[in-house]
Amino acid sequence: MTKICYPCYGRGKFTSLESLFKYVAEDEMRYISPYSLINIVQRNIPYRDHLRSYGIDSLVERLYKEAPQLKDKPMMIQLLSEWAEDEPIADYDIQYLHVNDKITILGHTFNGLREISLSAELWGCDYGRGVDCTRVTPPFCNEKVHVADIYKGYSSFDCTDVGDHRAYHNYIFRDHPISEKDVERVMHTPHGFNFCMMHEHICEDQLPILYYSGSGKYMVLASKKSE
């Protein structure tokens, strides 16, 4: 069985796809969207690799073996198949990670999201018509890996959103001090819903990129296969 990660009702790491569906079924209040299987495949390296190498029919056969419950969820399989036809898997990795996971990037191991955030030497705030960059002295720094935090604040719709200072974050990493031009280049990476840059259309020279939605215990890392 394939160990997977998928944020779901306070839990994210599962021993298998089957165990995820069992976890959802334990409580009638838990619900998993028909689109969830797309995210599971796209953001778990073993499934990405399988789809890239062997195609959707072979992947579906594997998924049925690992999670027999999928035979009762034809919509999930249909949506996954349609997505796979339209969205070829890129030659890099995308994976869910817990915010406390240790992550090795460009040869340096960060002790979770907090250390990455506190290592940012450049903050880039997207305000809708451009990015305002601010250079800072980070509490954590090293000469090997340089970090920039490109973020966008949550949208405010009414008075209940006043005081909500959360933001969507895309962290970039370089082996040299990060310039505003580096930020400008990475901003050419498509980003839509929730300011997220995690998809199959990232220029590989912009990798790695780490995305955090501003809440929850899981984040997403896109990185070259060699990293």
Side-chain angles (χ1 to χ4, degrees):
M1 290 293 183
T2 304
K3 292 182 179 180
I4 68 164
C5 187
Y6 179 68
C8 185
Y9 296 99
R11 183 176 167 188
K13 295 188 177 183
F14 298 88
T15 57
S16 67
L17 187 58
E18 181 180 24
S19 68
L20 165 61
F21 285 115
K22 286 182 177 178
Y23 175 71
V24 172
E26 286 174 358
D27 189 330
E28 62 181 12
M29 298 300 292
R30 294 173 184 166
Y31 167 77
I32 188 165
S33 164
Y35 292 93
S36 298
L37 192 58
I38 295 173
N39 284 332
I40 292 168
V41 168
Q42 187 183 33
R43 298 179 177 182
N44 283 273
I45 294 173
Y47 294 150
R48 287 180 61 83
D49 289 347
H50 192 115
L51 178 56
R52 187 190 305 109
S53 298
Y54 304 109
I56 185 60
D57 291 341
S58 177
L59 176 64
V60 168
E61 183 179 350
R62 172 178 176 173
L63 295 175
Y64 279 145
K65 289 180 180 178
E66 296 192 6
Q69 301 98 320
L70 281 171
K71 293 180 179 178
D72 297 324
K73 302 179 185 297
M75 181 59 71
M76 276 192 168
I77 296 298
Q78 178 182 334
L79 291 171
L80 174 66
S81 299
E82 291 173 353
W83 170 79
E85 288 182 9
D86 295 335
E87 197 80 358
I89 292 292
D91 292 330
Y92 45 79
D93 293 333
I94 301 179
Q95 59 184 313
Y96 282 115
L97 296 166
H98 192 279
V99 294
N100 293 332
D101 283 345
K102 291 185 177 181
I103 312 168
T104 300
I105 295 175
L106 301 178
H108 176 78
T109 300
F110 292 92
N111 189 21
L113 176 63
R114 181 176 182 275
E115 184 174 326
I116 291 171
S117 177
L118 293 176
S119 298
E121 62 189 40
L122 194 71
W123 297 343
C125 177
D126 182 291
Y127 54 90
R129 292 177 293 176
V131 178
D132 183 18
C133 291
T134 303
R135 190 165 297 281
V136 298
T137 301
F140 290 88
C141 61
N142 65 84
E143 296 181 357
K144 192 168 187 178
V145 185
H146 300 265
V147 182
D149 177 0
I150 307 171
Y151 64 94
K152 183 174 185 176
Y154 276 37
S155 299
S156 295
F157 298 103
D158 53 42
C159 62
T160 62
D161 296 317
V162 175
D164 188 344
H165 301 299
R166 290 177 298 171
Y168 308 110
H169 299 264
N170 289 284
Y171 295 91
I172 64 172
F173 307 82
R174 299 291 183 267
D175 59 5
H176 59 266
I178 297 175
S179 67
E180 292 189 22
K181 287 190 175 181
D182 289 321
V183 174
E184 290 175 7
R185 282 193 288 268
V186 82
M187 284 299 292
H188 289 298
T189 299
H191 48 279
F193 184 69
N194 289 350
F195 197 51
C196 181
M197 296 183 181
M198 296 293 109
H199 45 67
E200 306 304 321
H201 304 284
I202 307 171
C203 291
E204 289 205 38
D205 63 355
Q206 299 302 322
L207 296 173
I209 299 174
L210 181 78
Y211 174 75
Y212 180 61
S213 67
S215 62
K217 297 181 179 180
Y218 291 87
M219 53 192 176
V220 189
L221 174 68
S223 58
K224 295 179 181 179
K225 292 295 293 181
S226 59
E227 295 178 353

